[in-house]
Amino acid sequence: MSHYERIADLSVTIESVARRRRTADTTSGFERTTTEYRLSGDGLVGRGEDVTYETADHDALAGTDPIDVEGEWTIDELSDRLDEIDLFHGNPPENEAARNYRRWAVESAALDLALRQQEESLGERLGVDPEPVRFVVSTRLGDPPSTERVEALLARNPDLEFKLDPTPEWPEAAFETLRETDAVRVLDLKGWYEGTEIDVEPDPELYRDVFAAFPGAVVEDPAFTPATSALVEPQADRLSFDYPIDGVESLKSLPVEPGWCNVKPSRFGTLESLFETISYCERNGIELYGGGQFELASGRTAIQTLAALCYPDGPNDVAPRAYNDPDGEPPYPKSPLRPSRDAVGFEF
């Protein structure tokens, strides 16, 4: 049986729906807002986090009634019911991707509750033992770019690994310092974003420097333009994609067959699409690792749980939240993260 088939007929009783807004500053210099959906039944609560980035979309939930999903369902039946519900209550999101983010929040909350009602962990339901999770620390070098935070973290823990976002403003000295650390595992070129604050214009010189300076690293989301394609295509085995991936068809439509895929569960919207994509990658030799989205609550636990079950050895961008907290102080947790043997639901 596939992973989805193992959870599709899992029953869940939902008696009420509530939401909880969460807000926190981040080490990337912006205030993060998310909304946690809380489904209750049989004296238990299942949680799932809407990681929509636009604060206005969370603001628009004020004064709206919780969604109508009370009743007895299987996970598959509830997913069908959500096809009929506007989770944005008539206020279209600023970014259409947010529809998947909110759908994921509700479906993952339902799965969490269903498993708790059965007194099972996700691993037990899938028949998979969770393994310790290797993680990388995702950070930016700031403006102007500086390697100080990377060096400070390595001074405390020389075994740390990193996921970084190169920009054309990186000086040659930054490339040299980072290369010498031998700690950079993923470089995100952010070449597929448009109209956001984190867009990075496709720059052939930047791409050339990244490929040359970090020959063993995974390179994520390069753009394919007349100026960059000749540089990017020969690197297919170490290319990864994140932003454009929301299901199997999006992987098949890429300009190359990548060696890697960054799994951000919320991008897929449904549990079915998530597990179908993981299975597709496993069948086709595409390596996997988990991605984070500055989750503030149960969403972080969920991505750590999935990593422990499906891709524990990947360069997972699922570091404990302390690394994203500007007020966080050492000692920080070390990699790998070890799952609890007493976990239930979507717990890690």
Side-chain angles (χ1 to χ4, degrees):
M1 295 176 69
S2 70
H3 284 343
Y4 185 69
E5 288 171 335
R6 290 181 182 274
I7 65 169
D9 63 353
L10 184 61
S11 63
V12 60
T13 300
I14 303 173
E15 297 170 357
S16 65
V17 180
R19 299 183 297 251
R20 180 174 294 177
R21 181 180 174 120
R22 296 181 180 271
T23 303
D25 291 330
T26 70
T27 53
S28 292
F30 72 97
E31 184 181 75
R32 182 65 161 120
T33 298
T34 67
T35 298
E36 189 173 65
Y37 280 74
R38 301 164 67 88
L39 310 185
S40 299
D42 295 342
L44 300 167
V45 179
R47 299 171 176 84
E49 191 170 4
D50 172 11
V51 295
T52 296
Y53 283 98
E54 291 76 18
T55 301
D57 289 331
H58 298 283
D59 293 342
L61 286 171
T64 63
D65 293 327
I67 56 176
D68 180 16
V69 291
E70 289 83 359
E72 302 270 349
W73 311 89
T74 66
I75 292 296
D76 198 52
E77 289 170 346
L78 180 62
S79 186
D80 287 343
R81 169 66 180 133
L82 291 173
D83 286 339
E84 304 168 357
I85 296 177
D86 177 10
L87 298 177
F88 285 81
H89 306 275
N91 298 300
E94 292 190 15
N95 187 324
E96 278 300 303
R99 294 194 183 277
N100 277 357
Y101 296 165
R102 192 160 292 174
R103 176 70 173 264
W104 165 255
V106 179
E107 290 211 10
S108 60
L111 178 58
D112 185 35
L113 178 58
L115 291 166
R116 290 178 187 280
Q117 289 174 343
Q118 297 296 322
E119 298 184 347
E120 280 187 308
S121 69
L122 180 58
E124 289 171 331
R125 186 70 182 184
L126 298 181
V128 178
D129 290 329
E131 296 184 21
V133 174
R134 169 194 178 194
F135 70 80
V136 298
V137 175
S138 180
T139 189
R140 299 173 188 171
L141 298 194
D143 184 18
S146 168
T147 60
E148 287 182 3
R149 183 167 191 250
V150 171
E151 293 178 273
L153 288 170
L154 284 172
R156 292 186 175 276
N157 179 4
D159 294 326
L160 268 183
E161 299 176 299
F162 293 87
K163 176 180 181 288
L164 304 177
D165 300 347
T167 68
E169 290 72 37
W170 275 21
E172 184 176 344
F175 281 96
E176 293 175 355
T177 297
L178 293 170
R179 182 175 62 246
E180 290 171 0
T181 68
D182 193 30
V184 180
R185 298 293 169 258
V186 183
L187 296 123
D188 185 356
L189 292 173
K190 297 190 180 300
W192 288 67
Y193 289 88
E194 293 182 3
T196 74
E197 294 181 0
I198 59 173
D199 291 7
V200 177
E201 191 71 22
D203 182 331
E205 289 190 18
L206 173 64
Y207 284 26
R208 189 177 293 108
D209 289 344
V210 166
F211 288 132
F214 307 100
V218 175
V219 178
E220 190 173 296
D221 280 357
F224 291 78
T225 71
T228 64
S229 291
L231 295 168
V232 172
E233 291 174 359
Q235 305 287 338
D237 286 349
R238 64 170 171 137
L239 297 185
S240 176
F241 293 88
D242 156 27
Y243 179 80
I245 304 305
D246 58 10
V248 171
E249 291 307 312
S250 60
L251 265 172
K252 290 180 177 179
S253 67
L254 290 170
V256 296
E257 294 184 9
W260 294 81
C261 179
N262 179 348
V263 179
K264 288 184 176 173
S266 65
R267 293 216 192 276
F268 299 88
T270 68
L271 290 159
E272 183 173 19
S273 180
L274 167 68
F275 285 120
E276 280 183 349
T277 305
I278 290 174
S279 295
Y280 174 84
C281 289
E282 291 173 344
R283 290 195 307 271
N284 289 275
I286 300 173
E287 300 286 345
L288 298 169
Y289 60 98
Q293 293 175 288
F294 294 96
E295 298 86 358
L296 303 180
S298 54
R300 201 68 174 181
T301 304
I303 63 175
Q304 292 169 346
T305 299
L306 287 166
L309 296 173
C310 299
Y311 29 85
D313 298 324
N316 294 293
D317 180 14
V318 302
R321 210 175 72 77
Y323 286 99
N324 291 329
D325 182 356
D327 297 321
E329 296 182 356
Y332 296 113
K334 293 186 176 182
S335 181
L337 297 175
R338 301 194 177 278
S340 169
R341 296 299 173 181
D342 299 323
V344 293
F346 225 141
E347 284 183 356
F348 181 70

